[in-house]
Short mmCIF file of all heavy atoms in Angstrom, two decimals:
data_model
loop_
_atom_site.label_atom_id
_atom_site.label_comp_id
_atom_site.label_asym_id
_atom_site.label_seq_id
_atom_site.Cartn_x
_atom_site.Cartn_y
_atom_site.Cartn_z
N CYS A 312 24.72 8.36 -22.69
CA CYS A 312 24.53 7.46 -21.56
C CYS A 312 23.04 7.45 -21.16
O CYS A 312 22.31 8.41 -21.39
CB CYS A 312 25.39 7.88 -20.38
SG CYS A 312 25.29 6.72 -18.98
N SER A 313 22.62 6.35 -20.55
CA SER A 313 21.22 6.22 -20.07
C SER A 313 20.94 7.04 -18.82
O SER A 313 19.79 7.17 -18.42
CB SER A 313 20.92 4.75 -19.74
OG SER A 313 21.11 3.96 -20.85
N ASP A 314 21.98 7.56 -18.21
CA ASP A 314 21.88 8.25 -16.92
C ASP A 314 20.72 9.27 -16.89
O ASP A 314 20.54 10.05 -17.83
CB ASP A 314 23.21 8.98 -16.66
CG ASP A 314 23.34 9.47 -15.24
OD1 ASP A 314 22.59 10.39 -14.87
OD2 ASP A 314 24.19 8.93 -14.52
N ALA A 337 26.97 4.17 -20.26
CA ALA A 337 28.32 4.69 -20.54
C ALA A 337 28.55 5.10 -21.99
O ALA A 337 29.69 5.19 -22.43
CB ALA A 337 29.41 3.74 -20.07
N ASN A 338 27.46 5.36 -22.74
CA ASN A 338 27.59 5.85 -24.13
C ASN A 338 28.65 5.10 -24.94
O ASN A 338 29.54 5.70 -25.54
CB ASN A 338 27.84 7.37 -24.18
CG ASN A 338 28.76 7.91 -23.10
OD1 ASN A 338 28.30 8.28 -22.02
ND2 ASN A 338 30.06 7.89 -23.36
N HIS A 373 29.29 12.03 -19.89
CA HIS A 373 28.91 12.97 -18.83
C HIS A 373 29.72 12.74 -17.56
O HIS A 373 30.36 11.70 -17.39
CB HIS A 373 27.42 12.83 -18.52
CG HIS A 373 27.07 11.51 -17.88
ND1 HIS A 373 26.92 11.36 -16.52
CD2 HIS A 373 26.87 10.28 -18.41
CE1 HIS A 373 26.63 10.10 -16.25
NE2 HIS A 373 26.60 9.43 -17.38
N CYS A 376 29.89 9.42 -14.34
CA CYS A 376 29.27 8.29 -15.04
C CYS A 376 29.57 6.99 -14.29
O CYS A 376 30.73 6.58 -14.19
CB CYS A 376 29.78 8.20 -16.48
SG CYS A 376 28.97 6.88 -17.41
N GLY A 377 28.53 6.35 -13.78
CA GLY A 377 28.70 5.11 -13.02
C GLY A 377 29.26 3.97 -13.88
O GLY A 377 30.03 3.15 -13.40
N GLY A 378 28.86 3.94 -15.15
CA GLY A 378 29.34 2.88 -16.04
C GLY A 378 30.83 3.01 -16.28
O GLY A 378 31.57 2.02 -16.26
ZN1 ZN B 5 26.78 7.45 -17.53
#
Side-chain angles (χ1 to χ4, degrees):
C312 184
S313 301
D314 193 292
N338 39 270
H373 68 98
C376 183

